[in-house]
């Protein structure tokens, strides 16, 4: 079993934020796209559990954000039965 993913030629949002804050229009667009990605995952009953700037990659050409690192994600029914907190504490 293996996983194939798209190569994102760019940087993480964490790296981009080290250069300074994003302007309001870019920030709102980024939030809108990532919210749609999370909504799609939630409709599939998948909870990401580690949304943070390091897990958002920004394509260098299109400037589109991609939500990555679903390594801690679980199905909704697992979360209800387990309920233990998992993720990066400062972003939980």
């Amino acid at each position: 079993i293996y996983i194939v993913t798209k190569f994102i030629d760019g940087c993480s949002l964490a790296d981009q934020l080290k250069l300074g804050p994003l302007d309001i229009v870019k920030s709102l667009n980024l939030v809108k796209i990532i919210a749609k990605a999370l909504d799609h995952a939630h409709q599939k009953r998948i909870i990401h559990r580690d949304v943070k700037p390091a897990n958002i990659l920004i394509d260098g050409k299109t400037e589109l954000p991609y939500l990555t690192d679903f390594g801690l994600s679980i199905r909704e029914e697992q979360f209800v039965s387990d309920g233990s907190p998992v993720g990066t504490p400062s972003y939980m």
Side-chain angles (χ1 to χ4, degrees):
I1 297 175
Y2 58 92
I3 297 173
V4 177
T5 61
K6 180 177 183 172
F7 175 72
I8 306 300
D9 191 9
C11 65
S12 72
L13 177 58
D15 290 336
Q16 199 170 65
L17 290 173
K18 289 176 187 173
L19 302 174
L22 302 178
D23 68 58
I24 190 71
V25 174
K26 282 187 180 181
S27 296
L28 291 173
N29 191 48
L30 186 138
V31 169
K32 180 177 95 172
I33 293 170
I34 295 303
K36 284 183 178 182
L38 285 169
D39 181 54
H40 180 76
H42 292 168
Q43 287 179 28
K44 303 291 182 189
R45 302 173 62 108
I46 297 172
I47 301 172
H48 187 284
R49 300 199 307 174
D50 201 21
V51 177
K52 60 185 178 183
N55 289 338
I56 298 172
L57 299 182
I58 309 295
D59 187 294
K61 291 181 183 174
T62 64
E63 296 189 9
L64 288 173
Y66 291 84
L67 182 59
T68 64
D69 194 1
F70 280 77
L72 294 177
S73 67
I74 59 171
R75 301 281 300 169
E76 182 181 11
E77 52 273 9
Q78 289 173 300
F79 181 75
V80 172
S81 65
D82 180 13
S84 59
V86 175
T88 304
S90 58
Y91 291 99
M92 293 173 66

